[in-house]
Amino acid sequence: MSHSNDPFASTVHTAHHWLNTVAQAIGTEDRHFAYRVLRAWLHAVRDRIGLSGSAHLTAQLPELLRGLYYEGWVPVHSADHHTASFVHQFAHEAGVPPQEVPALASAVTDALTDLFSPGQLGHVFAVLPVHLCGLLCGTTAHLPTRETVRPSEYTELEHRLRVLGDAVAELSRGLMESPADERGSRHQSVAAQHAHNMLISEGLLNAPGGAVHA
């Protein structure tokens, strides 16, 4: 089938170009390995930037990679922001030893920086703690342990505000889209539960009955 008759040809070509760029950045000709590493990067970042950050990141992803990004995603189950947790997830999905993660993660970031619009990844990374930005950008001299990580207060506050915004948006959509009947009440209840779970997962809300942390 010629490309002119294949409606998916352009989409596939673009996805291959992005994958080839990543493969070149990490120094491999094994496209399956490059795919696993790119997938690991997308999922590890996705699980820590929230709904708003994901919307910005996926806006410029090729359609096939956008599907890869959202594969298996449960938005209310955000991962923690400890370096050890990030490294463990990345290593597990990529199938590499943890000590290889910093070099691979920063190489993928370099490749994607050239593919995204200027400043796009910087905007997305703004919600991440300093230690994760350093890891992703190759500026981390060492890997802090779970006990030694101390993200800046400003970055942590910014992240919490974004999570609160996402939770409010989720609740607002549930209220606005619900019909005025019993089914609508159930829909609102689900939206409220999603927002509640988002706050709990980020440590902004205690167990049921708790309050938002100051």
Side-chain angles (χ1 to χ4, degrees):
M1 180 182 294
S2 67
H3 283 189
S4 61
N5 294 324
D6 183 1
F8 298 109
S10 177
T11 298
V12 172
H13 175 76
T14 302
H16 278 304
H17 171 64
W18 281 53
L19 183 61
N20 289 339
T21 301
V22 169
Q24 183 175 6
I26 64 177
T28 183
E29 296 182 358
D30 185 341
R31 291 166 58 83
H32 290 285
F33 176 63
Y35 174 86
R36 292 200 312 272
V37 171
L38 175 58
R39 180 177 181 272
W41 188 100
L42 290 173
H43 287 182
V45 170
R46 174 199 72 186
D47 291 347
R48 291 163 178 82
I49 60 175
L51 294 172
S52 178
S54 289
H56 285 291
L57 182 59
T58 58
Q60 295 184 20
L61 279 178
E63 291 181 45
L64 287 179
L65 297 186
R66 200 176 305 151
L68 176 65
Y69 182 92
Y70 286 115
E71 177 190 8
W73 189 33
V74 182
V76 296
H77 294 163
S78 299
D80 68 55
H81 287 71
H82 297 296
T83 302
S85 174
F86 182 96
V87 169
H88 175 77
Q89 179 180 352
F90 193 111
H92 176 72
E93 292 206 34
V96 299
Q99 59 268 27
E100 294 184 11
V101 170
L104 289 172
S106 62
V108 174
T109 298
D110 288 343
L112 295 184
T113 296
D114 292 336
L115 294 166
F116 280 113
S117 297
Q120 179 77 350
L121 284 186
H123 179 75
V124 171
F125 287 174
V127 304
L128 294 173
V130 172
H131 59 277
L132 284 187
C133 288
L135 176 62
L136 285 163
C137 297
T139 58
T140 302
H142 63 283
L143 290 181
T145 65
R146 183 179 296 266
E147 290 74 23
T148 60
V149 170
R150 294 293 185 271
S152 71
E153 292 183 4
Y154 177 82
T155 304
E156 183 68 16
L157 176 60
E158 183 179 34
H159 172 70
R160 290 188 172 207
L161 287 174
R162 287 178 180 269
V163 173
L164 282 171
D166 289 340
V168 171
E170 178 73 18
L171 182 58
S172 177
R173 280 193 296 270
L175 294 174
M176 293 179 65
E177 297 173 0
S178 303
D181 55 20
E182 182 178 350
R183 182 169 60 87
S185 296
R186 290 196 299 270
H187 186 81
Q188 293 174 9
S189 178
V190 170
Q193 186 62 53
H194 282 176
H196 183 77
N197 289 342
M198 290 173 67
L199 296 177
I200 290 179
S201 67
E202 291 295 334
L204 296 173
L205 199 65
N206 291 327
V212 176
H213 292 274

